[in-house]
Amino acid sequence: MPQISHPGPPPRVPSRIRRLRPGAIPALGGRVRPPGPCLVLGVLFWLVMTLAYWRLPLCCDAGQHAAVVERLKADLLHPAHPMADLPGAGSPYYSPYSVTQGALARLTGLSGWETVKLAGPVNLAVLLTGIGRFVRTLTPRPWAPVLAVLSMTLLWGTERVLWSGYLGLMSMTVILGYPSVFATGLAFWAWALTGARARAGGSPSPYGGWWGYAGTGALYGLVLLVHPITAVAAATGAVAIVAAWQRRWRWPVAGRWAVTGAAALAVAVSWPYYDVLSLPGNTGVDALHRALYERMADHFWLALLGVPALWVRARRAAGGHWWRAGRDPLVLMFALDCLVVAYGWISGQYTYGRILGLTAVPPHFALAVELAAPRPWGWARRLLGAAAAAGACVGFLTAQAGAVVPRSLDPVGFEQPPRWPSYGWAARHIGPGEVVIADGYEATHAIAGYGPNLAAPLWPDPALDERERARRLADVRAYLDPASTRAARSAVAERYDVRWLLLTRWRKVPEEAVVVDWSRRTGEVLARLGR
């Protein structure tokens, strides 16, 4: 009788195929997952804010940053002072960020204004991805990064604020092209990497390794070079994360964190364009930042809605022992930032108030993490969610709505972002590097961005002795004084090689100047000195 051979057990089906629904087709290389809310809403937010930023003319400090690009475009290795006909050696405006912009402008032929405009979407992408990465170190909840972005852009105050480093919707329509936004995004990335390594407990894999720690330190050094005041908040955040999450402090762990600090310092001091270590003693811009402290309540009171969430996190981390509350990184970060802000007020070094924009991050993110918790919610979390929703509506309607609602679609007359005039009409007559005296607020902030120089720079800069800048400002005021004589004006013009006057419509044009053009929008006049 013929023997019947047995086929043996059926072949094993891969588990990923067994889990498929009937009729589903497995994708090559793995399962297909729909994009999460973080990706979908993050891309949507990026598109909306990019359009809101691009629909407005650049204003405020954008002229300074455009001027930096113009100087680097003219001479990448030895740029002149950003706004004056003077050497620019030692100016902190010449950071790796701006040098990269200058190189791009030289390669592509873009102007300084165009380069700053194009930087906005790039900076926003770095910021949003950094936020997403950092929030994921705090919680795996998929909605937490979305809520963090909403909190960070809506929960500020009920008065419009346009300071660099303040990330409300209104402010972002103005500052997206500034180095501070890029530096803030890098800070979030650095915090995410720091948190991952601290939570790994110092193990060499996957977040350990000496090179990984050195790379994280280099990132902090880059933040310091790009925007030094943001680096102060980045450093306090790093200390808070490591102190809260790092548990074992044996030699290999301590050595790796020492490498992080050494790498940050090495990157910072090796930059050839300016000495970053000389900046802490410079108090030239402190007086400008006193207003940050005087208007703090109007600018920040809605951010206090996140303080109860910080309190919940502190109690949870303490576990009944108050001295353990510092085991939560957001709680410790908020405490350290408040100490820095208080030091700025007590010492009179008001520039430290610039970190207020990042001081709001811990309450914003703590609120987002708590509200992203899965249901069912208790009464306390429901109350917190209702307060946050009400605060977001108040913040949007009073201070932020004009950023994304065009005037043509505005039903109630929201306060709009500033719309500054263009000075291209004047710049086309003025040669690159020629010196201008201007008397209008907008003109003095914008004209250097087209390539000309000002007789007296507006902002303090370590590249120019402050006493020399004060003398130049006094000479310009004397020139513009209606009682000045022709001889006195000629002396000032010869001293600074002034070729052009850009005057507001109520300023009388000196007799020795010839009117060349005027603005039909503002009435300002461009006149050439007949020398």
Side-chain angles (χ1 to χ4, degrees):
M1 232 179 124
Q3 294 183 349
I4 301 175
S5 59
H6 296 279
R12 185 176 181 181
V13 179
S15 59
R16 68 178 183 89
I17 296 180
R18 291 200 305 269
R19 288 195 299 266
L20 291 174
R21 299 186 305 273
I25 301 175
L28 295 176
R31 298 169 62 190
V32 176
R33 294 183 180 179
C38 181
L39 178 60
V40 174
L41 297 179
V43 171
L44 180 61
F45 182 86
W46 181 87
L47 287 172
V48 170
M49 288 311 303
T50 295
L51 293 174
Y53 172 71
W54 274 353
R55 75 181 173 92
L56 297 171
L58 291 174
C59 72
C60 310
D61 291 348
Q64 175 86 351
H65 299 301
V68 169
V69 176
E70 287 290 339
R71 304 313 181 262
L72 287 164
K73 183 179 176 181
D75 190 338
L76 194 62
L77 298 180
H78 303 286
H81 187 280
M83 304 193 87
D85 187 15
L86 293 165
S91 174
Y93 285 103
Y94 297 122
S95 68
Y97 175 88
S98 59
V99 170
T100 302
Q101 286 186 314
L104 177 64
R106 286 175 66 93
L107 288 173
T108 61
L110 292 172
S111 68
W113 289 101
E114 291 168 339
T115 305
V116 173
K117 197 74 169 178
L118 289 175
V122 177
N123 294 346
L124 182 58
V126 174
L127 177 68
L128 292 177
T129 55
I131 291 172
R133 186 66 183 267
F134 176 55
V135 172
R136 287 191 187 96
T137 66
L138 300 171
T139 178
R141 298 164 188 167
W143 281 94
V146 176
L147 296 176
V149 170
L150 292 176
S151 298
M152 189 186 68
T153 56
L154 296 177
L155 294 179
W156 288 85
T158 48
E159 183 176 312
R160 188 182 74 168
V161 55
L162 301 176
W163 282 91
S164 173
Y166 285 44
L167 297 173
L169 289 181
M170 182 65 75
S171 185
M172 289 174 76
T173 60
V174 173
I175 70 167
L176 277 185
Y178 293 8
S180 61
V181 179
F182 183 77
T184 302
L186 292 185
F188 281 122
W189 274 99
W191 288 345
L193 295 174
T194 302
R197 285 171 171 81
R199 278 193 155 177
S203 61
S205 177
Y207 298 109
W210 297 92
W211 285 110
Y213 281 79
T216 303
L219 195 55
Y220 282 108
L222 183 58
V223 174
L224 177 58
L225 290 173
V226 171
H227 203 250
I229 194 62
T230 298
V232 175
T236 59
V239 170
I241 293 168
V242 174
W245 281 345
Q246 184 65 62
R247 290 290 177 263
R248 294 177 295 173
W249 281 100
R250 293 173 298 183
W251 153 242
V253 174
R256 291 188 182 106
W257 288 121
V259 166
T260 300
L265 183 61
V267 168
V269 301
S270 64
W271 185 244
Y273 285 83
Y274 74 95
D275 180 12
V276 72
L277 299 181
S278 67
L279 298 181
N282 191 305
T283 60
V285 294
D286 284 335
L288 299 173
H289 294 107
R290 182 183 176 91
L292 291 174
Y293 288 91
E294 296 172 346
R295 311 296 293 274
M296 191 185 304
D298 295 333
H299 295 162
F300 286 99
W301 72 272
L302 287 175
L304 298 178
L305 291 172
V307 172
L310 284 175
W311 174 252
V312 170
R313 293 179 66 89
R315 289 192 60 186
R316 188 180 302 137
H321 303 283
W322 63 267
W323 61 86
R324 294 180 181 175
R327 290 185 176 181
D328 184 273
L330 293 180
V331 173
L332 190 55
M333 188 185 301
F334 185 62
L336 293 178
D337 286 344
C338 288
L339 288 176
V340 172
V341 172
Y343 169 77
W345 173 255
I346 294 171
S347 66
Q349 298 184 41
Y350 302 113
T351 305
Y352 285 103
R354 287 282 296 276
I355 77 163
L356 280 165
L358 284 174
T359 303
V361 164
H364 283 158
F365 284 26
L367 181 63
V369 171
E370 290 303 311
L371 296 183
R375 294 173 182 267
W377 286 4
W379 67 268
R381 186 168 284 143
R382 290 178 181 176
L383 182 62
L384 184 62
C393 291
V394 170
F396 181 77
L397 295 175
T398 57
Q400 312 295 343
V404 292
V405 180
R407 191 178 299 275
S408 59
L409 303 176
D410 187 349
V412 295
F414 295 121
E415 187 175 15
Q416 294 287 315
R419 286 182 173 271
W420 281 25
S422 169
Y423 287 89
W425 63 270
R428 68 171 177 262
H429 298 285
I430 307 172
E434 292 186 335
V435 181
V436 183
I437 284 180
D439 68 334
Y441 180 85
E442 295 165 347
T444 53
H445 284 73
I447 193 62
Y450 295 91
N453 285 308
L454 291 170
L458 293 174
W459 307 117
D461 191 319
L464 176 63
D465 185 88
E466 189 60 18
R467 292 168 295 183
E468 171 64 19
R469 193 179 75 90
R471 282 193 295 268
R472 287 171 170 258
L473 288 171
D475 286 343
V476 169
R477 286 194 295 268
Y479 186 99
L480 295 172
D481 188 340
S484 65
T485 64
R486 180 168 182 171
R489 292 193 299 269
S490 297
V492 172
E494 290 179 5
R495 188 176 304 137
Y496 303 118
D497 195 24
V498 180
R499 299 291 181 184
W500 299 90
L501 303 176
L502 183 54
L503 305 177
T504 51
R505 62 181 179 270
W506 49 80
R507 179 81 58 179
K508 182 179 178 181
V509 178
E511 57 184 334
E512 66 270 19
V514 178
V515 174
V516 174
D517 203 349
W518 68 287
S519 170
R520 288 149 184 81
R521 174 179 173 181
T522 66
E524 289 172 292
V525 171
L526 177 69
R528 183 179 65 246
L529 291 178
R531 296 192 296 113

